[in-house]
Amino acid sequence: MHWGLSGWELEQYRRDGYLVRTSVLDRAELVELRRAAERSVGRAAAACASGRTYLLDGKRFVDLEFDVCGDAGAGRATVQFEHVPDSETIRVIEPVHPFDRCWDRLIDDPRLTEPMRALVGCEHLSLWTDKLNLKRPREGSGFGWHQDSPYWIHDCAHVDQLPNVYVALDDAGEANGCLRVIPGSHRGGCLPGTADGTQLGGFYTSPDAFDAAGQVALQVPAGSLVFFSPHIVHGSLPNASDLPRRAVVLTYQPGGQPMLKNGRVREVRIAASPAGDR
C-alpha cells in the first residue's frame, strides 16, 4: 500500500504546519505498543536509581547512561518526572527506543516514514529523536506553549528538516489533555521565548509572538498520526480525566545524520510491512 502524502495533504501541512491521519494503527498494534510503553517506563524507572538527578525550575530530571536491551539499548536518555514535589510518576522518556525493541519497528514503519520522506525532503531518512509522553489519569501535567526548534537549533544545522509525528496510543480529547496547535505559527520560524527569569523560560514561546485564540485541539482516536512542523507552536492541558493519554513522538531528519542525545546514526530501514504485521 502507498502511504505517501497526497498533493492536498502536503499543501495543508505547508499552510497549517500540521496534518492528521486518523486511526492508522489497528487495535492489536495498539495493545502491543501500550505494553511496550509500560515496559519502557519500568526499565527507565529502574535505571533512574543510578542516573544523574537534577532540578530545573524545581522540576525533576534524570540523565541516564545505560544498556537495558543489549546493543540496541546502549546509550543516553533523559527522564522527566511529574511536577508535583517528590513525584515518582514518569512524564517523558527521551529517547524511548532503547528501552524496548518494539519501538524500532515503529521507527521503520512505512506509514510513518513514507509521509516523512516528503516532509523532510529526502529519500533516505535517519532518526533525530523519539520520546514517550505520558499523561497519567488525574495527575498528568500539561505542556506550555512552545516550539521544538529552539530546543534543537544549537545542536543541528538543519532544524527546518526535523518534522515530528505524534502517534496516539490512547484516545486523545480535551479532558485528558490532547495536543493543541496554533495553525500557521510555523511560518515565522524560531519565535522568541519568554523572558521570565526562569531556567526553562526561554524554551517556551513568548505569548506576544502568536495568537492563542487560534488554537486547535487535536482530538483524535487511538492509532492516529499527527505530523507537525518543528516550528509550530504547540502545547497541551493537564489530564483531568480518569483515562490515560500516552503518545510516542518521533522526529526524523535526512539520512546519515546523528541522533540528538547520543550522537549515533540510526538510519531508517526499508520496512516490508507495517509494525503490527508478523
Side-chain angles (χ1 to χ4, degrees):
M1 182 178 290
H2 175 66
W3 294 99
L5 297 181
S6 66
W8 70 265
E9 286 178 312
L10 191 55
E11 179 182 354
Q12 179 188 339
Y13 180 89
R14 288 171 175 165
R15 181 189 68 238
D16 297 335
Y18 75 97
L19 170 71
V20 179
R21 284 183 167 178
T22 59
S23 305
V24 175
L25 279 65
D26 64 30
R27 182 176 299 179
E29 292 174 300
L30 288 169
V31 168
E32 181 180 8
L33 290 172
R34 289 166 184 157
R35 288 172 177 165
E38 299 307 327
R39 287 193 299 267
S40 299
V41 169
R43 289 166 177 161
C48 282
S50 58
R52 182 178 72 88
T53 299
Y54 54 99
L55 299 177
L56 295 174
D57 298 332
K59 301 175 177 66
R60 180 183 170 204
F61 296 75
V62 180
D63 284 345
L64 307 176
E65 293 195 23
F66 58 91
D67 184 350
V68 293
C69 295
D71 291 341
R76 297 189 178 116
T78 298
V79 177
Q80 300 180 33
F81 287 81
E82 281 296 347
H83 299 162
V84 178
D86 301 319
S87 175
E88 294 298 323
T89 301
I90 290 177
R91 181 176 187 252
V92 178
I93 304 171
E94 183 183 10
V96 70
H97 75 270
F99 291 91
D100 199 280
R101 289 192 175 91
C102 184
W103 304 125
D104 268 317
R105 294 191 291 271
L106 186 65
I107 290 169
D108 298 323
D109 194 305
R111 293 170 294 183
L112 281 62
T113 61
E114 287 189 23
M116 278 294 178
R117 287 187 171 95
L119 300 181
V120 174
C122 291
E123 181 64 23
H124 300 289
L125 304 176
S126 58
L127 184 71
W128 170 245
T129 190
D130 62 307
K131 58 188 175 183
L132 177 64
N133 286 347
L134 302 155
K135 288 196 179 187
R136 299 307 198 184
R138 298 291 174 184
E139 62 177 331
S141 53
F143 287 78
W145 291 116
H146 68 282
Q147 299 173 295
D148 291 326
S149 50
Y151 288 88
W152 299 333
I153 197 166
H154 301 294
D155 298 299
C156 179
H158 51 273
V159 71
D160 294 335
Q161 292 178 286
L162 301 178
N164 305 283
V165 57
Y166 168 107
V167 183
L169 304 186
D170 300 298
D171 292 340
E174 295 201 54
N176 66 348
C178 65
L179 181 67
R180 293 170 178 266
V181 298
I182 308 294
S185 57
H186 65 298
R187 294 195 292 269
C190 285
L191 300 174
T194 61
D196 58 5
T198 62
Q199 292 171 289
L200 297 174
F203 292 112
Y204 292 97
T205 308
S206 170
D208 297 329
F210 66 97
D211 183 5
Q215 66 183 273
V216 174
L218 299 180
Q219 302 187 72
V220 297
S224 297
L225 307 179
V226 180
F227 298 89
F228 62 100
S229 165
H231 294 303
I232 196 170
V233 177
H234 60 288
S236 63
L237 297 177
N239 185 350
S241 77
D242 294 322
L243 301 174
R245 202 228 69 178
R246 294 163 290 187
V248 182
V249 182
L250 303 99
T251 307
Y252 292 85
Q253 63 179 338
Q257 300 296 322
M259 287 184 287
L260 171 64
K261 289 285 184 180
N262 60 24
R264 298 179 181 182
V265 176
R266 171 42 168 99
E267 299 284 11
V268 168
R269 310 176 188 101
I270 298 175
S273 61
D277 293 348
R278 303 287 183 267

